[in-house]
Amino acid sequence: MKIYRSALLRFADDGQAVYDSDGLLAVAPDAQGVQRVVAAGSWQALAPQYIDREGVQRIDLPGRLLAPGFVDLHIHYPQTDVIGAPASGLLPWLENYTFPHESRFADRAYADGVADFFMDELLRNGVTTALAFATSHPTSVDAIMTAARQRGMRMIAGKVLQDRNSPDGVRDDTEQGLIDTETLIQRWHGVDRLGYAITPRFAPTSTDAQLRGAGELAARYGDVWIQSHVAENLDEVAWVKQLFPESRSYLAVYDDFGLMRERAVYAHSIWLDETDRKLMHDTRSAAAISPTSNQFLASGYFDYIKADEAGMLYGLASDVGGGMSFSPFRTMQAAYVVGRESLAKQGLSLAPGHLWWQHTAGAARALGLQGVIGNLQPGCEADFVVINPGCTPLLARKTGEARNLDELLFAMIILGDDRLIEQTIVSQAK
Ligand SMILES: [Zn+2]
C-alpha cells in the first residue's frame, strides 16, 4: 500500500467538489493487480489508521494537489498532426487536411508511431482515459490499443465506419467495415483496461446499410461504447436533412438505426432541439462538449441551460485535431468562455468545480464508468495527477492568494496548461 500526503481533490456523488488542504490518499492493488483507492480524506482523520502499518510506503508531496486523472470524452488520435491546420470551416478542413492525413494509417508502423506520441501527450497533460476515434483502417485500432495497453491505460477507441461521401484511402466497404468492427470488438474489448467503441464517423459518411449494421452490433454487444458526431454546424445539419429525409432530426438518424443507448457519446450536440434533448436524456446517451474545437471552427456553442433542463449527460472533450489543445485546462477555460454565451443572459456562469467535474467524474458518468474512473473515492481505480499549483510565477502568486477552493481551481483553469501536471499516475494492472 502507498499513502500520499498532499492537498486532495475529489467529488461527491452529487458532483460537488470535495477538498482537503492536508489530505491522505491510500492506494493498494486489488486481487487482479489493479491499483485502487482504499481511503481518501483528511490526513488528520485517516493517518492514525495507516502510517504505522507494515508494508505501507509513505509519499509526502508538500505544496502539491492530487486530483483525479482527466477523462477526455472525444478525441481523434490520428489528428495529432492535424491540430492547428488552417481551414475555412469544417467541411474544407476535412477535405484538405484530415482525410489526406488519415489515409496514412493503413501503414501499421506509421500508426504505431503516432499512437505512441499521442498516448505520451495525453499522459503529459494529465489525461488518463479518452474516448478516441481511430481511422477507418483496422490497423489504426491495433496501434492505439497496443500503445494504451503498454502504458496500463483505460482507453476506449474504435475503427471509423465511413462507406460513402469519403475519398479513396479512408472510405471503407459497407460489409467489410462491419466485419472489421466485430473482429476488433472481439480482439480488444475488455482486454486489460481497454474498451471498444462502434464509431460511425457521422451520419453523412455512412450508408443506411452501414448504420443499420452498426446498430445491430450495438445491440449484440451491449457493453461496447458508441461514438459519433452530431449537430456540429448548420451546413452539416442541412446536409443530413437532405440525406435522411425520413428522420425527424439529425440526432434522430442515430436513434432510427439503434445507435442511441447508454454508453453512446455524441460529440458537439450543439444544434439540438427540445425533442432531441429529451431523446438524449431518455436513451441515456451523452454529449461530448468540445469548446476549443467549436471556437476554432466557429460552429456554435453547447447550451448548458437547456441540457440541464433536459437532464442530459455530458462532459468535456478536446476534440483534437479540430480542438486546439490536449490540455484539459485549455478545454475547461474555453468551456467557461463558451458557456457564458448561454449562461450570461441569466446572470450565471459555470462554477470552477463544475468545470473540473465535467472533465473527470462527470465525464466518467457520461461513459457509464462512475465509481470506476474520474474520481478518488474509495473503490475507484487509482488514475490520478500530481498538480503543482505553483508551476509558473503567476500561478504561484494567484493560487497562493486563493481564499477558497473556487478561487484555487479557477486560477488554474484560466492560467493553466500542461505545466501544471507534474506527474500522471495510472492504475496499471500488473
Ligand atoms: Zn471530432
Side-chain angles (χ1 to χ4, degrees):
M1 180 184 292
K2 285 180 182 164
I3 58 168
Y4 296 85
R5 184 176 191 176
S6 170
L8 179 64
L9 177 69
R10 61 212 151 94
F11 294 90
D13 290 345
D14 65 0
Q16 288 299 311
V18 180
Y19 179 70
D20 294 285
S21 56
D22 182 15
L24 180 150
L25 181 72
V27 168
D30 67 12
Q32 282 74 44
V34 176
Q35 298 284 336
R36 286 185 191 276
V37 177
V38 175
S42 88
W43 177 265
Q44 208 182 8
L46 294 171
Q49 296 170 56
Y50 293 100
I51 43 173
D52 293 324
R53 263 208 224 169
E54 212 173 308
V56 170
Q57 183 190 353
R58 175 173 163 176
I59 299 155
D60 285 357
L61 297 165
R64 301 298 185 265
L65 168 66
L66 298 186
F70 290 100
V71 177
D72 191 328
L73 267 191
H74 176 68
I75 188 165
H76 300 254
Y77 100 82
Q79 295 176 16
T80 299
D81 297 313
V82 178
I83 195 168
S88 58
L90 173 64
L91 301 179
W93 178 82
L94 283 172
E95 270 166 42
N96 298 331
Y97 288 99
T98 305
F99 288 155
H101 194 82
E102 289 193 8
S103 67
R104 302 177 69 180
F105 284 73
D107 175 359
R108 174 67 193 266
Y110 181 77
D112 281 337
V114 178
D116 280 331
F117 180 89
F118 172 82
M119 228 44 87
D120 290 342
E121 191 63 13
L122 287 184
L123 291 172
R124 222 176 53 73
N125 279 283
V127 177
T128 48
T129 290
L131 177 60
F133 273 52
T135 65
S136 57
H137 316 94
T139 47
S140 70
V141 175
D142 293 334
I144 187 175
M145 294 299 199
T146 301
R149 195 180 185 192
Q150 281 167 354
R151 291 162 179 79
M153 292 170 73
R154 186 175 275 287
M155 183 64 45
I156 307 166
K159 174 208 124 54
V160 173
L161 293 161
Q162 52 180 124
D163 66 342
R164 68 164 167 173
N165 294 321
S166 311
D168 292 348
V170 295
R171 190 178 58 254
D172 66 357
D173 171 77
T174 307
E175 266 309 303
Q176 192 60 44
L178 297 167
I179 291 167
D180 289 341
T181 296
E182 187 158 23
T183 303
L184 290 165
I185 290 171
Q186 291 169 353
R187 184 178 302 160
W188 292 115
H189 185 70
V191 172
D192 292 346
R193 305 180 75 202
L194 305 175
Y196 192 85
I198 297 166
T199 308
R201 180 167 214 114
F202 65 148
T205 50
S206 284
T207 57
D208 286 24
Q210 195 173 54
L211 291 173
R212 193 169 302 115
E216 286 164 10
L217 287 172
R220 201 174 314 148
Y221 297 95
D223 66 343
V224 158
W225 282 268
I226 299 165
Q227 60 180 343
S228 194
H229 298 92
V230 75
E232 180 174 2
N233 77 42
L234 292 169
D235 289 346
E236 173 206 11
V237 172
W239 191 23
V240 171
K241 204 176 171 70
Q242 275 175 16
L243 292 170
F244 299 92
E246 311 285 296
S247 290
R248 195 202 68 81
S249 68
Y250 185 170
L251 184 69
V253 172
Y254 296 118
D255 192 41
D256 292 346
F257 288 105
L259 290 164
M260 294 191 70
R261 60 157 167 73
E262 213 164 322
R263 297 194 165 199
V265 177
Y266 286 95
H268 307 301
S269 302
I270 293 171
W271 303 100
L272 303 182
D273 63 17
E274 299 313 303
T275 310
D276 290 329
R277 290 190 182 91
K278 185 172 184 318
L279 182 59
M280 290 288 279
H281 168 266
D282 292 350
T283 59
R284 295 193 56 76
S285 301
I289 308 168
S290 309
T292 73
S293 172
N294 299 155
Q295 287 181 314
F296 183 69
L297 294 165
S299 303
Y301 60 84
F302 181 83
D303 194 321
Y304 279 97
I305 290 180
K306 288 183 174 160
D308 283 339
E309 280 168 5
M312 270 170 62
L313 292 171
Y314 57 76
L316 285 174
S318 66
D319 192 26
V320 164
M324 292 188 277
S325 175
F326 278 83
S327 174
F329 295 96
R330 291 277 305 277
T331 300
M332 291 189 286
Q333 182 200 98
Y336 178 80
V337 173
V338 169
R340 289 189 80 82
E341 292 282 343
S342 63
L343 294 161
K345 284 171 228 143
Q346 303 197 19
L348 301 169
S349 64
L350 290 168
H354 184 48
L355 284 163
W356 209 293
W357 174 85
Q358 289 180 55
H359 225 335
T360 52
R365 189 181 68 147
L367 288 170
L369 292 173
Q370 62 274 31
V372 179
I373 55 167
N375 209 342
L376 291 174
Q377 298 290 16
C380 288
E381 295 174 355
D383 289 343
F384 60 99
V385 288
V386 179
I387 290 174
N388 176 7
C391 65
T392 70
L394 184 57
L395 267 164
R397 190 177 170 92
K398 278 295 294 182
T399 57
E401 285 175 356
R403 291 166 303 176
N404 54 47
L405 181 60
D406 272 0
E407 290 184 1
L408 175 67
L409 298 181
F410 201 55
M412 290 189 277
I413 288 169
I414 295 302
L415 299 172
D417 55 30
D418 53 317
R419 290 171 291 184
L420 279 167
I421 305 297
E422 194 166 81
Q423 208 185 336
T424 302
I425 295 163
V426 167
S427 164
Q428 185 157 13
K430 289 270 157 51

